[in-house]
């Protein structure tokens, strides 16, 4: 048969051979996009006070800049995976890059809160499309073995570095204008699109993949999430007994029940029922959500405290948060090895213990700040918490389920992490006007709940067959290749 002369996309590097420029270029595009997705939260955090001053937003409104992105990411992540399965990786990835660039530009020019929040939600949805798709492209473009491990290590490093990079960039750009923090991803995304157009290989959707979009499930989950956030935010403005507040929360609850019913009755649900019977997966998802949500809640409170009360500049605020973010980036290449050596459950418990201790050390009263004693200990403990626990959470979640459920388990896990961020940030924003104490009490309680879940994971497994006792340490699976997480470093 005559070989085809049609140019093909860059092929994968063969194991044991030197990589050619084309696969390196593909990996750079995917990893760079992962980085700009990961920094979307941190750039917005540091800029929050400047955005509030410019658009005249109170804390219970300002939180939308963070929770809008997290809601778009978390509520639509499962639906995004279904779109990729039906339409293919290449067209979805390219479209998401273009929409992300457009939303970045519109957000930078927005003068109305609703428009700014809408762009944040859209960018969250774009991240929900590109983050898991990038992993799938790597898995198909690089052969299993050293080549794929190396590619995933680079991808993980970029993802873990994104939060730290966002802190520094936002600190510098917000000194000029907060709008630059939302504008700069636009040209970067367009540049990545130009390279991706040439480098991302064509793919054919799996004929065995589900052919139903389950739009009803996606719409009900997304609406329930947004109405929950809106209802909580409406409390301080309209009153907790106001019909608008109560109506939003009641409708959110009804839509959540509708989502459950849809997923139980549809032939091809976004959320397979088998996942909800995986106790280790549920414990990992809830524990990671508690860690990520409490962390972002603390950073929201600390941003407002440091800039509005202690007189810190945006640049100084970004530097102040760096000890919490940088350690994970510095250890990203070795985190999977640590989990294999010590077992995910042990690392998770250690990390989950460090987080509430850090929150307890953060000052509840006063405006004067001595960074070395008031802020730095908290940030160092949070950095340790993420180094120890975050990758271990992901490994424990995905390796605890059967092979055929691991992709769905990863999406479910990330959904829990992002939705926890959306809900915790709005709750902290609502509590903050009464003082830092109530908001810090919330994040501490959430972290303690995560610690309780982590300690539960150290207990011996219970099995339905008593004659078959567990072997080996609890929750110490043979971890798969680590996958980077999103939304936090």
């Amino acid at each position: 048969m005559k070989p085809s002369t049609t140019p093909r996309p860059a092929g994968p590097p063969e194991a044991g051979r030197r990589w050619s420029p084309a696969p390196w270029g593909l990996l750079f595009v995917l990893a760079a996009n992962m980085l700009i997705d990961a920094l979307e939260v941190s750039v917005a955090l540091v800029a929050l006070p400047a955005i509030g001053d410019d658009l005249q937003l109170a804390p219970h409104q300002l939180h939308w800049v963070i929770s809008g992105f997290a809601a778009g990411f978390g509520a639509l992540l499962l639906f995004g995976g279904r779109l990729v399965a039906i339409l293919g990786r290449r067209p979805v990835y390219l479209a998401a890059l273009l929409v992300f660039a457009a939303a970045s530009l519109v957000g930078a020019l927005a003068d109305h809160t609703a428009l700014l929040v809408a762009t944040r939600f859209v960018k969250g949805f774009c991240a929900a499309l590109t983050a898991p798709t990038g992993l799938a492209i790597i898995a198909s473009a690089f052969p299993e073995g050293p080549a794929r491990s190396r590619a995933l290590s680079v991808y993980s490093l970029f993802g873990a570095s994104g939060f730290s990079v966002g802190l520094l960039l936002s600190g510098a750009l917000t000194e000029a204008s907060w709008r630059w923090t939302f504008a700069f991803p636009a040209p970067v995304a367009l540049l990545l699109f130009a390279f991706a157009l040439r480098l991302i290989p064509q793919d054919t959707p799996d004929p065995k993949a589900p052919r139903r979009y389950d739009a009803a499930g996606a719409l009900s989950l997304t609406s329930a999430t947004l109405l929950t956030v809106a209802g909580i935010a409406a409390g301080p403005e309209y009153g907790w007994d106001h019909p608008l507040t109560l109506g939003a929360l009641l409708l959110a609850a009804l839509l959540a029940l509708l989502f459950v019913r849809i997923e139980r009755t549809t032939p091809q649900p976004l959320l397979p029922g088998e996942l909800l019977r995986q106790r280790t997966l549920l414990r990992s998802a809830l524990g990671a959500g508690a860690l990520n949500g409490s962390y972002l809640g603390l950073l929201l409170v600390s941003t407002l405290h440091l800039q509005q009360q202690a007189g810190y500049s945006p640049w100084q605020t970004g530097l102040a948060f760096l000890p919490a973010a940088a350690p994970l980036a510095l250890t990203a290449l070795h985190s999977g090895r640590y989990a294999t050596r010590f077992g995910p459950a042990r690392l998770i418990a250690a990390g989950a213990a460090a987080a509430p201790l850090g929150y307890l050390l953060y000052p509840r009263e006063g405006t004067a700040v001595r960074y070395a004693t008031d802020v730095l200990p908290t940030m160092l403990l949070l950095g340790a918490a993420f180094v120890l626990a975050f990758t271990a959470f992901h490994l424990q979640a995905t390796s605890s389920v059967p092979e055929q459920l691991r992709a769905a388990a990863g999406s479910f896990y990330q959904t829990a992490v992002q939705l926890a961020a959306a809900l915790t940030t709005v709750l902290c924003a609502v509590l903050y006007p009464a003082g830092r104490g109530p908001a810090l009490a919330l994040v501490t309680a959430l972290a303690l709940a995560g610690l309780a879940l982590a300690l539960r994971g150290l207990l011996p497994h219970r099995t339905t067959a008593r004659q078959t006792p567990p072997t080996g340490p609890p929750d110490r699976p043979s971890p798969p290749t680590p996958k980077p997480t999103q939304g936090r470093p």
Side-chain angles (χ1 to χ4, degrees):
M1 183 175 179
K2 183 179 179 180
S4 171
T5 57
T6 304
R8 295 184 303 168
E14 297 180 7
R17 295 181 59 182
R18 186 176 182 180
W19 287 6
S20 66
W24 269 109
L26 172 62
L27 180 58
F28 174 78
V29 168
L30 300 175
N33 185 67
M34 177 68 177
L35 186 145
I36 63 171
D37 283 348
L39 60 76
E40 273 298 313
V41 174
S42 55
V43 295
L45 268 169
V46 175
L48 282 179
I51 297 171
D53 292 341
D54 191 16
L55 300 182
Q56 300 299 306
L57 300 178
H60 69 271
Q61 300 168 313
L62 195 58
H63 75 88
W64 277 110
V65 179
I66 305 298
S67 56
F69 179 85
F73 192 170
L76 290 167
L77 185 59
L78 295 169
F79 182 62
R82 181 62 54 83
L83 286 179
V84 173
I86 295 175
L87 302 177
R89 294 187 293 268
R90 176 182 166 87
V92 171
Y93 197 94
L94 293 175
L97 278 175
L98 284 180
V99 175
F100 185 94
S104 296
L105 185 59
V106 173
L109 300 175
D111 284 325
H112 299 286
T113 306
L115 181 58
L116 176 61
V117 172
T119 63
R120 296 291 294 167
F121 179 82
V122 170
K123 292 173 79 172
F125 182 31
C126 291
L129 293 171
T130 56
T133 309
L135 285 169
I137 293 172
I138 288 176
S140 65
F142 293 86
E144 187 172 0
R148 185 182 298 175
S149 297
R150 196 182 313 169
L152 285 170
S153 295
V154 173
Y155 191 74
S156 300
L157 178 62
F158 273 64
S161 302
F163 203 89
S164 301
V165 171
L167 292 174
L168 297 177
L169 275 176
S170 185
L173 294 174
T174 306
E175 297 283 354
S177 171
W178 65 267
R179 297 183 182 277
W180 285 110
T181 65
F182 294 103
F184 85 88
V188 176
L190 290 176
L191 181 63
L192 293 178
F193 174 82
F195 284 102
L197 197 61
R198 179 176 180 83
L199 293 172
I200 292 182
Q202 296 283 354
D203 65 296
T204 302
D206 185 355
K208 298 181 181 179
R211 304 306 299 173
R212 293 176 181 267
Y213 288 95
D214 192 9
L219 181 60
S220 58
L221 176 60
T222 304
S223 301
T225 301
L226 292 175
L227 282 169
T228 301
V229 175
I232 295 172
E237 186 171 0
Y238 298 100
W240 293 103
D241 58 350
H242 192 278
L244 183 63
T245 304
L246 295 175
L249 294 174
L250 177 60
L251 185 55
L254 292 175
L255 286 167
L257 292 174
L258 177 62
F259 171 72
V260 172
R261 179 171 178 77
I262 290 171
E263 297 306 289
R264 291 181 64 180
T265 57
T266 188
Q268 296 171 329
L270 296 175
L271 181 60
E274 304 96 297
L275 291 181
L276 301 181
R277 294 190 287 271
Q278 304 291 326
R279 293 186 179 180
T280 302
L281 170 62
L282 290 176
R283 189 173 64 247
S284 301
L286 292 173
L291 179 59
N292 191 51
S294 62
Y295 174 76
L296 291 180
L298 180 280
L299 291 189
L300 184 146
V301 171
S302 187
T303 296
L304 298 176
H305 167 223
L306 293 179
Q307 293 192 42
Q308 293 180 344
Q309 298 181 27
Y312 277 44
S313 68
W315 174 248
Q316 290 173 320
T317 304
L319 290 176
F321 293 160
L322 206 56
L328 183 59
L330 297 175
T331 60
L333 297 180
H334 308 288
S335 55
R337 190 181 310 165
Y338 299 150
T340 302
R341 180 176 179 180
F342 298 105
R346 294 186 179 91
L347 294 182
I348 288 169
L357 179 58
Y359 302 142
L360 288 170
L361 292 177
Y362 197 89
R364 261 64 175 169
E365 299 176 355
T367 57
V369 171
R370 294 168 296 179
Y371 179 77
T373 56
D374 293 338
V375 179
L376 182 60
T378 297
M379 298 302 157
L380 290 174
L381 283 166
L382 289 175
F386 275 90
V387 168
L388 292 167
F390 216 66
T391 298
F393 266 129
H394 192 281
L395 292 175
Q396 179 177 265
T398 54
S399 62
S400 65
V401 300
E403 181 69 31
Q404 67 272 17
L405 289 177
R406 285 187 178 174
S411 295
F412 171 73
Y413 169 86
Q414 292 290 354
T415 295
V417 169
Q418 296 302 324
L419 294 185
L423 294 177
T424 308
T425 50
V426 63
L427 287 169
C428 287
V430 166
L431 293 172
Y432 181 78
R436 294 193 302 277
L440 291 170
L442 170 68
V443 298
T444 304
L446 184 59
L448 289 172
L451 175 59
L453 287 170
L455 294 177
R456 174 66 183 85
L458 293 176
L459 298 177
H461 289 301
R462 293 181 180 179
T463 60
T464 54
R466 294 180 179 271
Q467 70 274 18
T468 310
T471 57
D475 283 353
R476 185 170 183 172
S478 298
T481 303
K483 295 182 180 180
T485 52
Q486 183 73 6
R488 161 58 178 104

